[in-house]
Amino acid sequence: MLPRPEIAAALERFVLVELFTDRTDAISEANEKLEETKFGTVAEPYYAIVRPDGSVVATFEGRTTDAPEFLAFLSQGTAPATQSASPGASAAGFTALDGSAIEGSGKVLVLDFWATWCGPCRVQHPLYEQVRQRFKDNPDVIFLDVDTDEDRSLVKPFLERQKWSQEVVYDDGLGGFFRLSSIPTTVVLNRRGEVQSRMPVFVPERFVDMLTERIGSALTEK
């Protein structure tokens, strides 16, 4: 993929840093620890566009032979830094399955993408709920469970069987906008609606603390 002329030309606009994680030396171990801590994954290959201040612009997990797909990822690194993550993502426009309105304007949004058929999503859910409880008294943090099922008729019965909260919204293009390649994926948006962090692969033993830390960082951003 990367040797293709159009990809090489796009990469000239970036400072490239390769961090190897597949070796047994101390440097590789440190790189793997950095990938897990900052991005919540140890996937290979894994690409990340990072601003000089350390904030993550976009990530791309895995291999692809689709040049337009990878170019679209790279283009996010040259978009204006003030561009919101999603038109209306931080606006008051969400309605949960139970009919309640969800006000999100000017708040930190935590979007957890899942589906009824996803086994890892069921494993992650109680950990996600632990984080939700940590911020339950903070009105500036909104947790949204984003269902990605194509058959929406499965969702409500599933929530009732599992005794999960019905504060759930449907994907409606959000997953495509954030270029999700897998679920569960958790995305944190700051008060301006910009992506502060995304966790495409969860590490069970670290998920609660990692997500708590990233929400805290989003709350302190000016």
Side-chain angles (χ1 to χ4, degrees):
M1 164 56 71
L2 297 182
R4 297 183 60 154
E6 64 271 39
I7 300 295
L11 288 173
E12 289 179 356
R13 294 173 290 177
F14 298 87
V15 175
L16 302 182
V17 179
E18 291 184 293
L19 300 178
F20 294 97
T21 62
D22 58 347
R23 301 171 182 172
T24 57
D25 58 279
I27 294 178
S28 289
E29 292 178 359
N31 289 341
E32 184 176 67
K33 183 66 173 179
L34 171 65
E35 182 185 11
E36 177 185 338
T37 301
K38 190 170 185 64
F39 304 105
T41 182
V42 291
E44 296 178 8
Y46 189 80
Y47 305 92
I49 299 174
V50 182
R51 295 192 184 100
D53 64 3
S55 60
V56 179
V57 177
T59 60
F60 190 98
E61 179 181 338
R63 304 180 186 277
T64 182
T65 57
D66 187 335
E69 179 185 31
F70 199 73
L71 285 169
F73 158 67
L74 293 178
S75 70
Q76 296 179 69
T78 57
T82 57
Q83 182 179 5
S84 292
S86 171
S90 60
F94 293 108
T95 302
L97 295 188
D98 61 6
S100 61
I102 300 174
E103 166 64 54
S105 181
K107 301 180 185 297
V108 171
L109 296 183
V110 185
L111 310 177
D112 185 54
F113 292 84
W114 66 282
T116 58
W117 49 264
C118 171
C121 298
R122 300 188 192 193
V123 176
Q124 177 181 283
H125 185 76
L127 303 177
Y128 178 76
E129 287 299 314
Q130 287 184 43
V131 182
R132 189 199 298 263
Q133 286 302 307
R134 290 185 176 186
F135 292 93
K136 64 183 177 66
D137 296 322
N138 191 329
D140 291 328
V141 183
I142 301 295
F143 288 82
L144 289 179
D145 299 344
V146 185
D147 174 70
T148 63
D149 280 284
E150 292 184 7
D151 186 353
R152 295 184 176 182
S153 67
L154 300 174
V155 180
K156 199 164 186 177
F158 174 87
L159 295 174
E160 292 172 349
R161 286 196 308 272
Q162 299 295 325
K163 295 181 171 53
W164 288 10
S165 167
Q166 294 205 16
E167 287 190 353
V168 171
V169 298
Y170 291 123
D171 183 299
D172 286 334
L174 280 175
F177 184 89
F178 290 115
R179 297 177 49 78
L180 299 190
S181 59
S182 63
I183 55 173
T185 290
T186 306
V187 179
V188 180
L189 305 182
N190 62 23
R191 299 175 194 270
R192 298 183 298 276
E194 301 164 350
V195 176
Q196 192 274 343
S197 178
R198 58 184 292 155
M199 301 169 66
V201 177
F202 84 104
V203 181
E205 60 272 18
R206 289 183 45 78
F207 179 82
V208 173
D209 289 338
M210 289 176 66
L211 182 54
T212 298
E213 178 183 337
R214 295 178 188 201
I215 295 171
S217 296
L219 283 169
T220 58
E221 285 187 8
K222 301 298 184 182

